[in-house]
Amino acid sequence: MAQSFRWYFAKRLIYVALTVWLILTFNFLLFRVMPGDVTRIVIPKGVAPGSDTFERLSHYYGLDKSIPEQYLRYMQQLFTGHLGESISFSPGADIQDFLGVYLMNTLILVGFGTALSIVVGIWLGRYTAWKRGQPADRIGSAFFLVFYCMPTFLFALLMLTLVAKVVPQWPIAGAYSPTYYTMPLLDQIGDRVVHTLVPLFALVIETIATFSIITRSSLIDVMTEEYMVTAVAKGLTARVVLHKHAMPNAMLPVVTVVAMNVGWVLSGSIMIEMIFSYQGLGYLTYYAVTSQDYPVLQSAFMLEAIAVVLANLIADMMLLKLDPRVRV
Amino acid sequence: MTEMQPSRSKWLILNETRMEKLRLLRKNGMRIAREYRHSLGGMIGLGILVFFVATALLAPLIASKYDTPSMPANDIHWNDYNPSYASPSARYLFGTDFYGRDVYTLTIWGSRASLIVGLLASLISIVLGTAVGLAAGYFGKVSDEVLMRFTDFFLVIPWFPLMIVFASLLGRSFTNVIIVIGITSWPSTSRIVRAQILSIKEKAFVERAIAVGAGSGHIISKHILPNVFPLIFANTILLVANSIFSESFLDFFGLGDASVVSWGTVLEAAYEKQAFGSFAWWNIFFPGVCIILLIMAFYLIGDALDEVMNPKLRRR
Amino acid sequence: MWPKHATVLGSLAIVAILALSASPVRWTTGASAADESTLTWGMIEAIDSLNPFIGVNDNAYIFYGLVYDYLIAVNEDMGPAPNLALSWNIVPDAEPFGSVWEYNITRNATWHDGEPMNADDVTFTVNYQVGTHYDDMWAYQPYTILIDHAETIDEYKVRIHFKNITGAPAPCPFGDKLMMPIVPEHIWRDVPTSTAGFTYENDLPIGTGPFVCTENTKEEFLGRSAIVLHKNPNYHSKVDFNKEIQFDRLILRFYLEPAAMLLDMQTGKIDVALFNAPNYVSLLDYLEGNQDAPIGTYSGLTCTSYSIDLEVNQKKDATGVNPLGRDPAVRKAMAYAVDKQFIRDHIYRGYADLGSSIMSPIYGDLYWAPGPEEIYEYDLAKANQTLDAAGYTWNGDIRVASPANPYYPGGKLSFNLIVESGLVEDKDTAELLMYDWAKIGIELKPEYYETGQWNDIVYSYAYDLTISYWSGDPDPNYLLFIQTSYSVGGWSENAYENVEYDYNYTKSVETVNPTERTPFMLACQEIMYRDAAFIVTVYPYGCYAWRTDTFDGWGDWGAHPGRSLSNFWTANPLYFDLVPKGRQKIDLTMAYVGIGVGIAVAVAVVLLLRYRPPKEEDVKLP
């Protein structure tokens, strides 16, 4: 089976590449369709229309060329690592220079968020499934339900107000303090933790609830299967039953849901980032849209999309490994 | 016994098989209803849903008698100065918002928008998703790859930025909100449908049907769909919950139609006018709780239906 | 289920990510960072560019005013104060009188990189923006349009030659109010104006101003969180005026959320900020409940003459634009139908003055107030009468022009109203107008757009009405300029052209004698008001708050508007008067809390991964 697995993996990689290319093209086309004259965005006011300045700027941004030519230029620049220049968000700034800062912030938030959600969510799901019917399960499930149905932004605002009232000293805005750049390393880490904690909590509470619910139902589903009865009849201990038989099968739908949720967590982080003024990719996306800064938007979109593609790839691979029934 | 009529369409003939099928359907339906009643969660969810639907339908009657019964009831009574951010009282059951509008009236009317968006957007989503998932899962190979790439593509595009982009392109109107939600949430359905179909395809009875020589259409409608349908149905309900959430989300961030009264736009106005800072909690609490309750209702219903319609889970 | 070494790998990964995320360590030299006295200024919008020729938003201009100097600054009573120019005078024998001004530059100013500053820098800065460069260097056009060139007389003496619109030498009445930053020649001479005006990043802004950027400024700017500036130890004011900044550091802290900034003000994380009306009201409520909170407040007309303006497009023969906007009767009716009091009382919560002229009362004697004969009081009956008299008849719910109407016979009074969607108050105003104007038969359709699109639509004159805002400089020339016909296609937002207005404007800039200028400036305001193509709704107040427990010396901003935070015209006298009370240390306890929490969370996660259900428990299968 190993060889076909490798072959399948290679096929999947090709498709990932194809998808990414499609995304880039879609990206490019979408922003050429946007309303509004790009040069007008760069030049807010004062310059008379028809003057040389407009033409010079058009030429500078390559907007005077035909769409296919622009597309080639766009692809070329991408492969040499140039993401272009921001036109209104930070006029003139090279996007690859500042994108890193925002990307890092979001990676921390979303990365830890997803990891935490998975670990805690699955653990809680397992626990409540195992304690099915008992008070622990009932209370837990009620909690999950409420948090699953609560809009993220509402909860974030609630947390913001609560933290501000109860612990006034706690920072509620930004990914780090103003004096971050002058702090020694250890303090910087601590600073980041403090700033990321509340947004993280607001972000993961819903995903934890989701994963708990799905793990719990999936696990309970599995426990009704016939082979579980067999396992118990064979005299296996609870631990073995849970880990060797129940969990692996229960994980299948969970993995699918987790993969689907990465995209969600990324989108959800936008809400969190805006409410907590957390300078991440979502914050950047929103700002780029409102200031109509297409190059920045293109780059942010691209990153977000690629992240989800990768997550899906990993999920598919795991699904393959875990479910022998699915033929390649 | 009914006569054989030389009619235009053979579907209209009520012969024994069809009568039997209808009888079975009715029996099944009653069994489902009976079982459903045993599920506490399901009943609570149903109760909440009925409550909100009734609210939506009876809105003109139960809204505050001081307000004009019109939709959208967004009339700010600009020249009659109503107290801004008045706390809940006998006159203003849920207090007023920044503009002096009665939050109670707004909440009542808001149920309509949320329900409409939820249902219509999910409908679009289900139809698209099922069609794609079915085609991909069943026909396999080439069509699977192509359709899955297409689905993946949509799944992969960051949802929120895409929404903003579409909102700017299409303009911020109520119908556009519905359309945008519908076309960005179908991929999840298709993925689930396809995964389930792939599993079912391998099952013995399908192989047997193929061995016997059954055609694709027959297999799809008689074997695949009935097994997939419960899953879709339960998923539908969840999608409605998701659509309601999305709508409030879009409104809150200024992408919805501000002239329509919905819980999301009430929250948006509250947020912009710093209700949080002024601690006008009623402006946020009532619409917020309604959103949570409605989403919860759909979720509970979907969960209960899932249990009931999937025989394996009955033993829970 | 989990690979054996998952926990180890996981922990390593966590540590690695955290370490990577902490940017390269930078150590402060000299005194430890925690001992420096710091003024933290909360701002809502992050600045959009470090380049003084590109930045557009208010906070960007504040930033430039901190890092750069103008020749002449503004004192606390809004009069000219010497800055880089210690003294100035009109050159008496240049013809016409007032067309050449001479400035004596201080010898004590140095650029932040150590280079000495002299007259060549001034000459360079001026010539950099005029002549063929005028189009590219759009940021200070209201001034550069009237400058011909500058010349260095000797090492510390500069002459600027002024001209009028046609290019002929002409007197300039605001030679002592030229609001543009002086930039270093040795840096900017290598930057072509085509990049300077649009794309040059100016990574490390070098100015002569009281505050200095650091090597981190670029990163901080891109991160949009905060910018840390240090006091300039060599600022020329010490030697020239015997004044110096008395705190070590100035932090500009940016917030997306006004609510977050308000909370930080209440908890003392920022020292001073400008609030919008709703948050200011919340703050006052908070102060009522907390009488001994050490927070001072002030609200009043801004020193920048901030106004909200309803503009009616006057472009002739513009496609898609309703020509009836050019009918003076229609505009008059519109002016009668704007309920400015409601806007002030409910939309701005009382923190505004009723609007009239484009120049707010902050201009004192130069402000023209409409008399009882001219004023457009809110009166729907009068609005209806005006429209009736002009032949607009009712057709259902909307009025229609008479067949004899010269602008658009039989046309409907239906207009779109372009509003920037990010401005909440404008949205409310739009709804109010829509509701009110329906009563006089005008159908108003608000449309909401993002800033970029709004710019596009408005500056290409493809709209009927719009709500905009303007701020000015100490010399009213700037504000009056935007309604001249010379500004059409440039700064003018409504393509308004009026010969009488142009004449008065030209006259007002033709003489340097203030008494001669004043009647023309008043006439301009009157004409603009009367024509109602630029209807000023309100002058929103600046609502400020500051901590009294961290700094003394705030002063009275009502009596001396030039002290307020909004004086961005460099060397704001406020900065020199602020005295830190007790040394504020940067609170590092939170960082330590963070470290503790981080460790606790990591430990918890590891434990979670290891937990197993009890071995002996019976398996309960459903």
Side-chain angles (χ1 to χ4, degrees):
Chain A
M1 238 18 207
Q3 201 181 27
S4 66
F5 179 80
R6 245 176 262 146
W7 168 238
Y8 183 75
F9 186 66
K11 252 199 328 180
R12 285 295 272 122
L13 272 184
I14 295 175
Y15 287 125
V16 162
L18 194 70
T19 316
V20 169
W21 176 78
L22 270 174
I23 292 169
L24 295 177
T25 312
F26 178 78
N27 229 2
F28 172 82
L29 288 172
L30 186 65
F31 297 121
R32 292 296 183 274
V33 172
M34 293 297 286
D37 181 7
V38 178
T39 39
R40 245 299 163 216
I41 298 168
V42 182
I43 311 169
K45 45 174 124 182
V47 180
S51 70
D52 279 341
T53 319
F54 276 104
E55 280 164 37
R56 236 179 297 137
L57 261 170
S58 281
H59 184 76
Y60 180 78
Y61 286 110
L63 294 168
D64 49 349
K65 303 202 177 64
S66 66
I67 297 274
E69 275 180 26
Q70 287 188 43
Y71 179 65
L72 245 84
R73 187 165 177 257
Y74 165 69
M75 283 306 203
Q76 261 179 333
Q77 284 194 317
L78 265 181
F79 281 107
T80 48
H82 286 106
L83 296 172
E85 268 179 28
S86 163
I87 57 177
S88 55
F89 179 71
S90 274
D94 276 328
I95 296 177
Q96 60 264 27
D97 283 344
F98 65 80
L99 201 60
V101 179
Y102 292 88
L103 181 64
M104 182 54 73
N105 288 338
T106 294
L107 276 179
I108 293 176
L109 189 65
V110 171
F112 279 110
T114 316
L116 209 65
S117 312
I118 292 175
V119 168
V120 177
I122 292 181
W123 186 88
L124 277 175
R126 194 169 70 196
Y127 187 73
T128 47
W130 203 250
K131 294 250 185 275
R132 207 180 98 277
Q134 296 170 26
D137 175 29
R138 293 209 189 279
I139 297 174
S141 298
F143 261 102
F144 299 154
L145 188 63
V146 171
F147 284 117
Y148 178 71
C149 299
M150 185 181 291
T152 316
F153 59 87
L154 212 58
F155 187 68
L157 280 168
L158 201 70
M159 290 300 327
L160 184 79
T161 333
L162 225 90
V163 169
K165 282 213 98 166
V166 172
V167 193
Q169 285 311 310
W170 197 277
I172 48 171
Y176 38 74
S177 304
T179 47
Y180 179 77
Y181 290 100
T182 53
M183 287 183 184
L185 180 65
L186 201 61
D187 291 341
Q188 283 185 325
I189 293 180
D191 189 50
R192 269 207 186 263
V193 170
V194 170
H195 278 90
T196 313
L197 212 61
V198 182
L200 192 69
F201 182 64
L203 181 66
V204 304
I205 202 81
E206 193 181 351
T207 4
I208 287 181
T210 313
F211 292 161
S212 306
I213 293 176
I214 207 99
T215 308
R216 180 182 177 277
S217 17
S218 177
L219 198 52
I220 289 179
D221 275 356
V222 163
M223 293 206 285
T224 67
E225 295 276 348
E226 284 154 7
Y227 55 81
M228 288 301 291
V229 181
T230 319
V232 173
K234 281 199 327 198
L236 298 171
T237 61
R239 183 172 164 189
V240 173
V241 166
L242 183 63
H243 284 279
K244 287 241 160 39
H245 294 276
M247 284 302 281
N249 288 301
M251 280 302 112
L252 302 178
V254 176
V255 167
T256 319
V257 171
V258 167
M260 273 168 25
N261 262 279
V262 171
W264 169 249
V265 173
L266 233 118
S267 298
S269 73
I270 294 183
M271 295 186 259
I272 305 285
E273 286 178 11
M274 282 172 58
I275 291 171
F276 288 98
S277 302
Y278 186 89
Q279 294 90 354
L281 221 51
Y283 173 113
L284 189 67
T285 311
Y286 185 74
Y287 256 109
V289 167
T290 52
S291 46
Q292 291 183 281
D293 196 336
Y294 303 134
V296 173
L297 201 48
Q298 269 177 3
S299 310
F301 242 72
M302 181 185 77
L303 283 179
E304 287 162 348
I306 289 176
V308 182
V309 168
L310 286 178
N312 281 338
L313 179 69
I314 295 175
D316 271 353
M317 292 296 116
M318 286 189 69
L319 198 66
L320 200 64
K321 276 214 129 113
L322 294 174
D323 189 358
R325 287 180 304 177
V326 178
R327 244 188 279 153
V328 162
Chain B
M1 293 284 185
T2 47
E3 292 176 326
M4 295 284 284
Q5 294 168 7
S7 62
R8 289 136 296 179
S9 168
K10 58 181 174 153
W11 300 112
L12 293 176
I13 300 172
L14 270 183
N15 60 18
E16 278 188 6
T17 345
R18 299 235 162 76
M19 291 280 285
E20 185 61 29
K21 281 210 180 120
L22 281 172
R23 240 176 275 142
L24 267 174
L25 206 64
R26 185 162 158 271
K27 197 161 149 231
N28 265 326
M30 292 194 62
R31 173 184 63 86
I32 288 175
R34 220 183 315 125
E35 303 224 347
Y36 188 87
R37 248 180 279 150
H38 289 306
S39 157
L40 179 64
M43 291 312 286
I44 293 180
L46 196 61
I48 296 177
L49 181 63
V50 166
F51 171 72
F52 279 117
V53 170
T55 310
L57 291 173
L58 298 173
L61 298 172
I62 54 176
S64 168
K65 61 183 189 296
Y66 298 100
D67 290 307
T68 45
S70 61
M71 164 78 168
N74 216 7
D75 205 1
I76 294 185
H77 302 297
W78 283 107
N79 296 127
D80 319 316
Y81 177 43
N82 290 331
S84 178
Y85 284 150
S87 337
S89 60
R91 163 80 172 86
Y92 300 110
L93 278 173
F94 288 172
T96 60
D97 70 355
F98 176 79
Y99 301 106
R101 295 182 294 183
D102 187 351
V103 176
Y104 171 71
T105 310
L106 290 173
T107 314
I108 301 286
W109 283 99
S111 56
R112 289 196 171 187
S114 305
L115 282 168
I116 292 174
V117 172
L119 291 167
L120 287 180
S122 319
L123 200 66
I124 297 176
S125 189
I126 295 292
V127 167
L128 283 175
T130 310
V132 172
L134 204 61
Y138 187 75
F139 291 111
K141 291 293 166 193
V142 175
S143 74
D144 182 16
E145 296 299 345
V146 169
L147 284 171
M148 274 306 106
R149 288 292 73 69
F150 186 57
T151 312
D152 269 348
F153 183 63
F154 260 93
L155 263 181
V156 137
I157 295 195
W159 174 69
F160 183 60
L162 191 66
M163 289 241 196
I164 308 183
V165 165
F166 276 138
S168 335
L169 269 179
L170 297 172
R172 300 174 176 191
S173 83
F174 192 58
T175 36
N176 289 335
V177 167
I178 297 175
I179 292 173
V180 165
I181 296 176
I183 61 179
T184 47
S185 46
W186 65 262
S188 57
T189 313
S190 79
R191 227 167 197 271
I192 292 177
V193 166
R194 172 189 174 264
Q196 195 66 7
I197 287 181
L198 280 183
S199 300
I200 290 180
K201 231 173 59 163
E202 314 303 331
K203 287 220 167 108
F205 65 85
V206 175
E207 286 190 12
R208 260 183 256 134
I210 296 176
V212 165
S216 302
H218 176 89
I219 295 183
I220 289 180
S221 53
K222 290 268 183 325
H223 297 284
I224 307 273
L225 268 183
N227 281 294
V228 170
F229 181 68
L231 202 74
I232 298 179
F233 191 64
N235 188 250
T236 307
I237 310 286
L238 290 175
L239 263 182
V240 175
N242 191 55
S243 303
I244 295 174
F245 169 78
S246 309
E247 186 260 336
S248 70
F249 175 50
L250 283 175
D251 285 338
F252 185 77
F253 283 91
L255 296 171
D257 192 341
S259 61
V260 167
V261 174
S262 85
W263 297 328
T265 47
V266 174
L267 283 176
E268 181 202 7
Y271 184 65
E272 280 177 351
K273 290 305 186 187
Q274 313 297 337
F276 287 90
S278 311
F279 302 117
W281 58 270
W282 51 90
N283 202 353
I284 300 146
F285 179 73
F286 293 108
V289 161
C290 286
I291 295 175
I292 299 176
L293 282 178
L294 192 59
I295 293 177
M296 209 188 297
F298 278 106
Y299 178 75
L300 286 169
I301 294 175
D303 211 33
L305 275 176
D306 207 23
E307 268 185 48
V308 163
M309 294 176 91
N310 187 335
K312 272 200 309 184
L313 300 177
R314 256 196 285 154
R315 279 186 278 155
R316 273 199 241 158
Chain C
M1 178 70 201
W2 304 95
K4 270 185 240 162
H5 18 270
T7 21
V8 176
L9 282 177
S11 323
L12 282 176
I14 292 174
V15 174
I17 293 176
L18 281 174
L20 277 175
S21 72
S23 308
V25 177
R26 295 177 210 271
W27 297 87
T28 50
T29 51
S32 128
D35 282 336
E36 297 186 340
S37 52
T38 311
L39 176 69
T40 309
W41 184 339
M43 297 177 159
I44 291 297
E45 261 189 281
I47 73 180
D48 55 351
S49 178
L50 295 173
N51 179 339
F53 300 111
I54 293 183
V56 187
N57 67 28
D58 289 344
N59 293 330
Y61 277 89
I62 290 178
F63 173 75
Y64 307 142
L66 295 168
V67 173
Y68 292 93
D69 276 325
Y70 294 174
L71 280 177
I72 299 167
V74 175
N75 66 25
E76 65 176 13
D77 294 311
M78 304 296 289
N83 194 353
L84 285 179
L86 296 177
S87 62
W88 54 90
N89 56 276
I90 298 178
V91 172
D93 43 350
E95 280 299 318
F97 179 73
S99 64
V100 183
W101 289 61
E102 191 171 271
Y103 306 86
N104 298 306
I105 313 295
T106 169
R107 289 151 204 272
N108 302 307
T110 38
W111 296 105
H112 295 153
D113 59 2
E115 295 286 321
M117 182 262 175
N118 61 22
D120 283 333
D121 293 301
V122 179
T123 311
F124 169 80
T125 304
V126 172
N127 291 335
Y128 194 49
Q129 303 178 64
V130 297
T132 47
H133 307 310
Y134 176 76
D135 266 344
D136 284 342
M137 307 299 281
W138 50 267
Y140 300 98
Q141 272 178 353
Y143 297 102
T144 54
I145 192 175
L146 296 178
I147 299 181
D148 191 68
H149 69 278
E151 61 173 319
T152 308
I153 304 298
D154 70 38
E155 202 185 354
Y156 293 104
K157 215 192 270 275
V158 174
R159 280 195 188 171
I160 300 184
H161 296 248
F162 294 94
K163 61 179 168 82
N164 59 20
I165 309 288
T166 58
C172 174
F174 48 85
D176 59 347
K177 299 194 185 72
L178 278 179
M179 301 299 160
M180 64 172 114
I182 305 298
V183 298
E185 180 188 12
H186 62 278
I187 292 180
W188 290 83
R189 66 176 162 218
D190 298 324
V191 182
T193 54
S194 51
T195 23
F198 304 103
T199 57
Y200 178 63
E201 291 177 69
N202 200 22
D203 289 351
L204 181 59
I206 301 286
T208 51
F211 296 98
V212 186
C213 295
T214 66
E215 61 205 341
N216 299 329
T217 298
K218 165 119 200 233
E219 252 187 288
E220 290 169 351
F221 159 68
L222 290 174
R224 304 226 150 189
S225 165
I227 292 187
V228 180
L229 300 172
H230 291 267
K231 154 181 150 177
N232 179 357
N234 304 317
Y235 190 55
H236 70 99
S237 67
K238 179 117 211 297
V239 178
D240 288 336
F241 316 120
N242 199 20
K243 293 174 107 169
E244 64 174 330
I245 307 281
Q246 296 170 66
F247 50 93
D248 303 309
R249 233 174 5 177
L250 174 62
I251 297 183
L252 303 177
R253 187 131 189 217
F254 306 117
Y255 294 84
L256 248 183
E257 268 313 306
M261 187 168 84
L262 176 62
L263 286 165
D264 275 0
M265 177 54 123
Q266 289 168 358
T267 53
K269 295 204 195 86
I270 56 175
D271 297 306
V272 66
L274 168 68
F275 291 96
N276 61 13
N279 274 303
Y280 191 67
V281 171
S282 303
L283 179 64
L284 292 180
D285 285 341
Y286 167 83
L287 289 177
E288 255 181 68
N290 299 285
Q291 294 282 348
D292 38 355
I295 297 178
T297 59
Y298 170 73
S299 67
L301 289 173
T302 61
C303 57
T304 49
S305 179
Y306 182 51
S307 65
I308 307 292
D309 323 296
L310 175 67
E311 300 187 50
V312 188
N313 190 1
Q314 300 300 299
K315 191 100 172 85
K316 300 189 181 70
D317 308 319
T319 41
V321 175
N322 189 337
L324 292 174
R326 288 190 289 115
D327 185 346
V330 171
R331 295 201 305 270
K332 236 175 134 175
M334 286 177 176
Y336 277 122
V338 177
D339 190 353
K340 297 179 185 172
Q341 263 162 336
F342 188 95
I343 297 176
R344 176 193 62 187
D345 292 335
H346 301 154
I347 297 178
Y348 286 89
R349 309 275 262 181
Y351 290 97
D353 269 357
L354 299 181
S356 50
S357 154
I358 191 178
M359 293 162 52
S360 86
I362 203 84
Y363 283 105
D365 297 330
L366 301 178
Y367 164 68
W368 175 87
E373 292 294 303
E374 305 134 322
I375 192 164
Y376 289 118
E377 290 255 337
Y378 175 62
D379 191 339
L380 291 180
K382 269 207 189 133
N384 271 318
Q385 281 163 21
T386 314
L387 287 175
D388 287 332
Y392 288 91
T393 50
W394 285 92
N395 183 354
D397 287 330
I398 197 175
R399 280 185 188 260
V400 175
S402 76
N405 188 303
Y407 298 96
Y408 185 23
K412 286 199 213 166
L413 280 185
S414 169
F415 304 93
N416 64 18
L417 173 60
I418 309 296
V419 181
E420 256 190 84
S421 54
L423 303 174
V424 176
E425 290 89 6
D426 288 356
K427 272 161 62 173
D428 294 341
T429 310
E431 299 235 331
L432 169 71
L433 292 176
M434 175 173 71
Y435 178 81
D436 260 355
W437 289 11
K439 301 183 191 155
I440 62 173
I442 298 183
E443 181 190 36
L444 195 61
K445 295 173 292 195
E447 291 173 18
Y448 304 100
Y449 295 97
E450 304 293 354
T451 312
Q453 261 177 289
W454 184 94
N455 276 335
D456 197 16
I457 296 173
V458 169
Y459 287 102
S460 44
Y461 308 116
Y463 70 96
D464 293 325
L465 280 97
T466 186
I467 300 181
S468 179
Y469 60 86
W470 279 95
S471 317
D473 283 341
D475 191 280
N477 154 68
Y478 175 67
L479 287 176
L480 295 177
F481 174 68
I482 60 170
Q483 288 288 276
T484 61
S485 57
Y486 321 122
S487 65
V488 176
W491 289 86
S492 171
E493 287 173 345
N494 62 358
Y496 174 72
E497 290 182 9
N498 180 314
V499 175
E500 200 191 345
Y501 184 91
D502 284 348
Y503 169 76
N504 276 291
Y505 171 78
T506 318
K507 279 295 204 199
S508 80
V509 293
E510 255 179 16
T511 167
V512 294
N513 184 336
T515 2
E516 278 180 38
R517 288 185 76 197
T518 310
F520 294 116
M521 293 201 282
L522 293 174
C524 277
Q525 296 173 66
E526 183 179 351
I527 297 168
M528 204 199 299
Y529 183 81
R530 190 187 63 211
D531 269 352
F534 194 100
I535 303 170
V536 179
T537 54
V538 289
Y539 307 114
Y541 287 166
C543 304
Y544 311 92
W546 56 82
R547 304 280 306 183
T548 49
D549 57 346
T550 48
F551 280 89
D552 268 336
W554 298 98
D556 182 352
W557 295 7
H560 305 289
R563 289 180 77 81
S564 81
L565 223 53
S566 303
N567 174 352
F568 63 91
W569 302 292
T570 72
N572 185 331
L574 179 67
Y575 308 147
F576 299 92
D577 288 344
L578 286 176
V579 179
K581 275 163 112 148
R583 316 217 52 163
Q584 304 98 53
K585 296 187 202 279
I586 289 296
D587 198 356
L588 276 181
T589 43
M590 283 326 265
Y592 299 136
V593 167
I595 295 171
V597 169
I599 295 177
V601 168
V603 167
V605 168
V606 170
L607 282 178
L608 218 56
L609 283 172
R610 289 219 167 281
Y611 177 75
R612 302 280 181 254
K615 290 181 201 176
E616 304 313 317
E617 198 184 293
D618 278 326
V619 178
K620 290 189 196 57
L621 282 179

